[in-house]
Amino acid sequence: MSDLVRKLKCLLVGVAILGRIAVSAQENTPSRAWENKALPPELRADSLIAAMTLDEKITLMHGVDPMPQKAYVGYVPGIPRLGIPSLHLADGRAGVGNDAIDVTLLPAPIAAASSWDPGLLEKFGEVLGREEWIKGTNVALAPSIDVVRVPEWGRTFESYGEDPYLNAQMAAAEIRGIQSAGPIADANMYLTMNQESNRFDQNSVVDDRTLHEIYLPPFAAAVQDGHVGTFMCAYVKTNGKYSCENPDLLITILRGQLKFDGWVMSDWGATHSAIPSAENGLDQEMPGSKYYGDSLKAAVTAGQVTMSVIDNHVRHILVPMFRQGIFDRAPSGSWTASARSPERDAFSREVAEKGTVLLKNAGHLLPLRKQTRVAILGVAGGASPKAEGGGSSGVVAPYKISPFDGIRNYAGKEADVTYSDGSDLKASAEVARAADVAIVFAQTDETEGSDRPNLSLPGNQDALIEAAAAVNRNTIVVLDTGGPVLMPWIDQVAGVVEAWYPGQEDGNAIAAILYGDFNPSAKLPLTFPRTATAIPTASPQQWPGVNGESAYSEQLDVGYRWYDATNTEPLFPFGFGLSYTVFELSHLVLTPATVHSQTGPARTQVMVKVDVRNTGDRDGAEVVQVYVEQPAQNGEPPRQLRAFARVPLRAGEKRTVSLGLDPHSFSIYDSSSQQWISPTGEYTVRVGTSSRDLPLSGKVGVKQ
Ligand code: BGC
């Protein structure tokens, strides 16, 4: 568009808006233009700001701690004089948090991400958003969208895994879902929140290119495809500056590059100052007013912070509130309302089924037959199901179906199902020996606030698995973990299933998988390493860090990128997952085969077409994955995920799938010019069903 046309367009829009204000001024109270629903959010915000006193502006810029009522986790009182509604903030990664009752416990987000199905994530967001809204929440603190850098990270279960592109797709989808159901979504935690060790002070030392290529894409997608209303700035520092007063992150990148126009609230207690925070981009302090109450007011009164800085912060808060209809709709519900429904219970089970990854199935032991005599071992199998992770994502489950109950219900009352909690290895081995199949449920306790000390299963669980496998060659391990674990017993067991933290429907979902009622289709969203040291962040300088600093020295080689770059064999690769049927990929076509080099925001340029056939005798779904290898001189990791699609196929069915490659497929981030560029050269596009199984390939040339 030429400059002249653009200017003319702006002029016309301006005239139209003024006309609408004039009409509204005649019809309504002229001074309360912000109440006019026909006006754009930006204009409504400006008219409201013009009517606000400094005290009222400051009221919006922080929470109230302690809160007047025992509900939610954050509260910003409304201002009745101006018709500004209160904000009620509640956590919600796997359901409404903060001790809310009568809500649905969904599977952990890492399970949802394992579906590789953005449609499922959108529904996940919708279900969560709906229940938050019923509970009276109008700002849902969800989702958590940081890329997993350290496999021991205590919040891995809250995430979507180790790949920026997969994360970006899932983040945008979940945010759209949440916001379609009422609340404003608050995507967290911005940025480089990649470990819990020393989380309130840790300094992530990371280069600019890595920041843009690995850690920012989910946040960029949250803005551009998710239209997220707010971000939560993280506890940690990035390159020496606290996230909530870091001008590089909050002003240069978030406002300048990503064009975010919503608000940034601090994580709980992550605000460290009044003036530097106000000057460097923090819009709202949470949960209280340590800095953004009297101190901020005094700074404004003393002329240390200008009113236009304050107005900008308030505008950032008001614009998404207007856009999301928080001013115009009836208020959301109440904390004491019941948010449950049979549909949402069923959805929790659907996510658990679609998120459970079948990792090993020797001799097609699975699916089981109903008459098989089954021994269930481990506390997570019976006495104490491991359905969720800990910390602020905790949910009061309305019920939890244990695997023992789920399996017994599925197989029928007459079925021979025995149980041993695993505390006495000898006794458990006897129970395992007496059955046709022994299923050991193993778990990790992951939580916000601490990283796992290492990647081994805690306690005697490895010994329990080995004891069962020693007496029963048909031993299957079901993992209820939030992230990868080491499997020293892998060659001794016949099967391994990663069920993650599966939510309230735990036992029903695992029974459906084990007996083949649901054909597993999930894929790992992160790599499982073979040994404790064969991981991208093995040195103490990288994790947990030395002298308060974590060196991101692996740079772009995060997750599978590192395994590929160093030729390290993983135990199970990123993107891997088995099915009870067999799929075949063929006929890869790339169009066009040549594209032009470009700078600036990239566009989709290449379409990938491929045939997928279910050659087995069961219905199922395959995830087609497309990875791009850049020319060596670009200095990128060997290959990177750039498109995927989950394709359901009936037995014998064939479909042709078309996927558009991510705009960044042929780009690198050039730090010196601060933009994406696409160097010329030959790029290889590989298509398959995991990062290590890519049978089809083609070339795309990038020319001047
Ligand atoms: C967590 C956030 C959470 C907040 C409020 C913090 O400790 O990091 O994710 O939203 O608490 O519960």
Side-chain angles (χ1 to χ4, degrees):
M1 200 175 3
S2 79
D3 253 12
L4 187 67
V5 178
R6 195 172 294 129
K7 277 180 192 152
L8 265 173
K9 247 184 122 178
C10 283
L11 198 70
L12 284 174
V13 171
V15 170
I17 287 172
L18 283 177
R20 266 149 60 193
I21 295 180
V23 170
S24 88
Q26 283 161 16
E27 288 169 355
N28 304 315
T29 345
S31 56
R32 295 176 75 96
W34 67 87
E35 290 179 342
N36 184 346
K37 293 182 204 171
L39 294 180
E42 296 78 8
L43 226 73
R44 294 177 73 181
D46 283 343
S47 77
L48 178 49
I49 291 166
M52 291 171 83
T53 64
L54 175 60
D55 282 332
E56 286 167 340
K57 290 172 188 174
I58 289 200
T59 298
L60 270 197
M61 290 176 64
H62 64 80
V64 170
D65 186 32
M67 294 183 297
Q69 75 273 53
K70 220 185 146 314
Y72 313 99
V73 71
Y75 171 63
V76 181
I79 302 173
R81 178 182 89 83
L82 300 168
I84 301 179
S86 317
L87 293 178
H88 297 283
L89 291 65
D91 280 305
R93 254 70 76 184
V96 182
N98 316 125
D99 300 325
I101 55 163
D102 292 327
V103 297
T104 307
L105 171 60
L106 295 162
I110 194 80
S114 302
S115 71
W116 291 54
D117 181 354
L120 190 80
L121 265 287
E122 189 157 341
K123 182 85 194 293
F124 189 98
E126 229 177 276
V127 162
L128 177 64
R130 174 89 191 114
E131 296 200 4
E132 293 277 16
W133 192 258
I134 292 172
K135 285 287 185 186
T137 309
N138 49 17
V139 182
L141 307 182
S144 268
I145 63 176
D146 288 276
V147 165
V148 176
R149 168 179 180 256
V150 175
E152 295 92 343
W153 184 32
R155 299 183 82 165
T156 299
F157 69 96
E158 286 183 44
S159 81
Y160 305 130
E162 71 190 20
D163 181 73
Y165 177 75
L166 181 66
N167 254 266
Q169 303 307 302
M170 297 305 174
E174 186 173 344
I175 290 164
R176 284 194 301 268
I178 293 171
Q179 297 196 152
S180 76
I184 295 170
D186 169 60
N188 51 89
M189 295 144 292
Y190 186 75
L191 191 69
T192 73
M193 191 70 214
N194 304 116
Q195 67 180 57
E196 295 303 285
S197 306
N198 192 32
R199 70 171 177 158
F200 296 122
D201 285 303
Q202 194 68 6
N203 181 24
S204 312
V205 181
V206 53
D207 66 88
D208 187 58
R209 178 170 171 184
T210 300
L211 207 63
H212 280 86
E213 293 197 13
I214 301 290
Y215 298 103
L216 274 168
F219 293 89
V223 177
Q224 287 144 14
D225 304 327
H227 310 291
V228 73
T230 106
F231 281 119
M232 183 184 287
C233 49
Y235 289 125
V236 288
K237 299 174 196 146
T238 299
N239 296 328
K241 296 171 200 156
Y242 279 115
S243 310
C244 298
E245 53 182 57
N246 186 327
D248 312 322
L249 295 186
L250 299 180
I251 298 177
T252 310
I253 295 177
L254 207 51
R255 304 289 168 190
Q257 296 176 0
L258 304 187
K259 310 284 179 236
F260 177 59
D261 69 354
W263 88 90
V264 176
M265 74 174 71
S266 73
D267 200 340
W268 268 231
T271 309
H272 291 273
S273 63
I275 300 175
S277 299
E279 293 294 334
N280 294 324
L282 176 68
D283 301 307
Q284 193 178 55
E285 177 183 0
M286 279 294 161
S289 54
K290 185 166 176 201
Y291 298 103
Y292 268 26
D294 294 343
S295 307
L296 184 59
K297 186 177 172 186
V300 179
T301 316
Q304 292 164 298
V305 172
T306 64
M307 193 59 87
S308 84
V309 165
I310 297 293
D311 287 353
N312 257 332
H313 291 309
V314 175
R315 185 176 300 108
H316 293 153
I317 299 167
L318 290 175
V319 165
M321 286 177 72
F322 281 117
R323 192 174 285 147
Q324 189 66 16
I326 304 294
F327 278 77
D328 307 326
R329 282 180 291 150
S332 47
S334 87
W335 195 245
T336 50
S338 169
R340 290 192 48 219
S341 79
E343 292 76 28
R344 290 193 284 276
D345 288 345
F347 179 71
S348 187
R349 172 169 170 173
E350 182 186 340
V351 177
E353 291 173 350
K354 287 186 172 162
T356 297
V357 194
L358 178 60
L359 293 175
K360 177 170 181 180
N361 189 16
H364 300 288
L365 179 58
L366 295 173
L368 302 174
R369 288 167 305 124
K370 282 190 176 174
Q371 48 289 20
T372 307
R373 291 177 307 154
V374 174
I376 295 174
L377 310 183
V379 284
S384 180
K386 184 65 191 168
E388 63 179 317
S392 64
S393 69
V395 173
V396 180
Y399 61 87
K400 286 179 205 169
I401 308 287
S402 75
F404 178 80
D405 286 340
I407 287 170
R408 230 196 17 186
N409 291 343
Y410 185 89
K413 288 259 180 304
E414 310 310 313
D416 190 346
V417 184
T418 52
Y419 174 69
S420 168
D421 69 10
S423 52
D424 177 340
L425 293 187
K426 258 202 179 133
S428 294
E430 283 321 305
V431 174
R433 190 200 303 275
D436 299 324
V437 171
I439 310 177
V440 187
F441 285 81
Q443 68 175 76
T444 54
D445 290 313
E446 285 167 45
T447 181
E448 174 184 334
S450 55
D451 292 324
R452 280 191 283 158
N454 54 54
L455 296 174
S456 297
L457 284 168
N460 72 349
Q461 297 183 96
D462 283 335
L464 175 63
I465 294 166
E466 278 159 6
V471 296
N472 192 328
R473 48 197 283 275
N474 295 331
T475 293
I476 292 163
V477 177
V478 176
L479 296 167
D480 286 319
T481 70
V485 289
L486 299 177
M487 305 186 200
W489 31 259
I490 186 69
D491 296 329
Q492 298 156 46
V493 302
V496 180
V497 178
E498 176 54 84
W500 311 110
Y501 298 146
Q504 66 191 31
E505 285 284 316
D506 183 347
N508 288 335
I510 198 66
I513 295 274
L514 294 172
Y515 288 88
D517 226 33
F518 186 90
N519 188 354
S521 59
K523 304 281 181 178
L524 291 179
L526 33 72
T527 308
F528 276 53
R530 212 165 258 284
T531 69
T533 48
I535 58 169
T537 47
S539 79
Q541 287 78 9
Q542 292 171 292
W543 176 83
V546 173
N547 295 332
E549 284 196 359
S550 299
Y552 283 42
S553 51
E554 70 288 349
Q555 300 187 303
L556 300 175
D557 290 337
V558 171
Y560 64 90
R561 289 160 168 78
W562 178 86
Y563 290 81
D564 292 343
T566 57
N567 270 321
T568 306
E569 201 54 40
L571 183 59
F572 295 109
F574 174 82
F576 176 79
L578 298 169
S579 164
Y580 297 144
T581 185
V582 184
F583 300 94
E584 233 174 61
L585 269 51
S586 61
H587 297 101
L588 171 66
V589 183
L590 303 172
T591 353
T594 310
V595 294
H596 287 287
S597 170
Q598 53 176 301
T599 51
R603 298 178 297 274
T604 300
Q605 299 173 307
V606 173
M607 292 300 294
V608 178
K609 232 169 71 174
V610 64
D611 289 350
V612 199
R613 187 191 293 275
N614 180 347
T615 59
D617 55 8
R618 270 173 190 269
D619 299 352
E622 181 55 287
V623 177
V624 177
Q625 303 168 35
V626 185
Y627 296 78
V628 175
E629 294 176 7
Q630 300 213 7
Q633 65 271 21
N634 289 8
E636 287 288 297
R639 65 194 68 87
Q640 311 190 67
L641 182 73
R642 294 300 183 192
F644 62 86
R646 182 181 187 273
V647 189
L649 290 163
R650 285 190 301 280
E653 188 184 353
K654 184 200 93 171
R655 278 173 58 186
T656 302
V657 186
S658 292
L659 307 99
L661 280 177
D662 174 58
H664 292 135
S665 302
F666 309 104
S667 303
I668 63 171
Y669 191 77
D670 179 42
S671 279
S672 54
S673 66
Q674 286 289 304
Q675 61 184 342
W676 292 88
I677 58 170
S678 51
T680 56
E682 192 175 68
Y683 293 67
T684 304
V685 176
R686 294 196 187 276
V687 182
T689 58
S690 95
S691 63
R692 290 281 172 123
D693 181 12
L694 299 164
L696 305 179
S697 71
K699 304 274 185 201
V700 172
V702 175
K703 302 227 160 70
Q704 266 312 327

